Amino acid sequence: LALQYAAPELRLRQDRDVVLEAVRCKGLALQFAAQELQQDDQIVFDAVRCNGWALRFAVPEIQSDRNVVLEAVRRDSEALMFASEGLRDDPVLQ
């Protein structure tokens, strides 16, 4: 599912079910989701479960969520660079 090509008038980027399915298939699709869905804990968690680098497109509040960051780092240790500054020094996440 390619959210980046979704016609704006269809409002697919704002449709939670469509975005959830998209990020489960390709985590980086999070970057094309509406901002309010980039704030959705479940959507972001599923995105980073698929691709840790999806953390890059999460809002700062979720980049501070230890559970989300832990899942992102499990997928790709380099995703830690997208975590909040306070979590980057967490020894469990190293």
Side-chain angles (χ1 to χ4, degrees):
L1 199 52
L3 283 178
Q4 72 263 33
Y5 300 115
E9 63 273 9
L10 296 179
R11 300 184 50 80
L12 294 176
R13 295 177 185 204
Q14 291 86 12
D15 185 308
R16 187 178 192 280
D17 293 330
V18 169
V19 171
L20 194 53
E21 189 62 33
V23 301
R24 286 178 177 164
C25 293
K26 184 176 180 181
L28 295 179
L30 183 63
Q31 69 185 301
F32 302 108
Q35 186 172 7
E36 64 268 13
L37 294 178
Q38 292 174 346
Q39 300 174 31
D40 184 301
D41 293 346
Q42 183 63 54
I43 288 176
V44 176
F45 189 84
D46 285 3
V48 301
R49 181 183 289 160
C50 180
N51 185 322
W53 278 56
L55 186 62
R56 175 182 186 182
F57 304 107
V59 296
E61 294 80 15
I62 295 182
Q63 291 173 336
S64 297
D65 183 315
R66 193 170 189 272
N67 290 328
V68 172
V69 173
L70 182 59
E71 186 64 27
V73 171
R74 283 183 182 148
R75 299 294 168 223
D76 187 327
S77 62
E78 291 184 17
L80 188 60
M81 72 177 126
F82 303 117
S84 67
E85 190 173 327
L87 288 179
R88 287 185 219 145
D89 295 328
D90 187 321
V92 174
L93 298 173
Q94 299 293 318

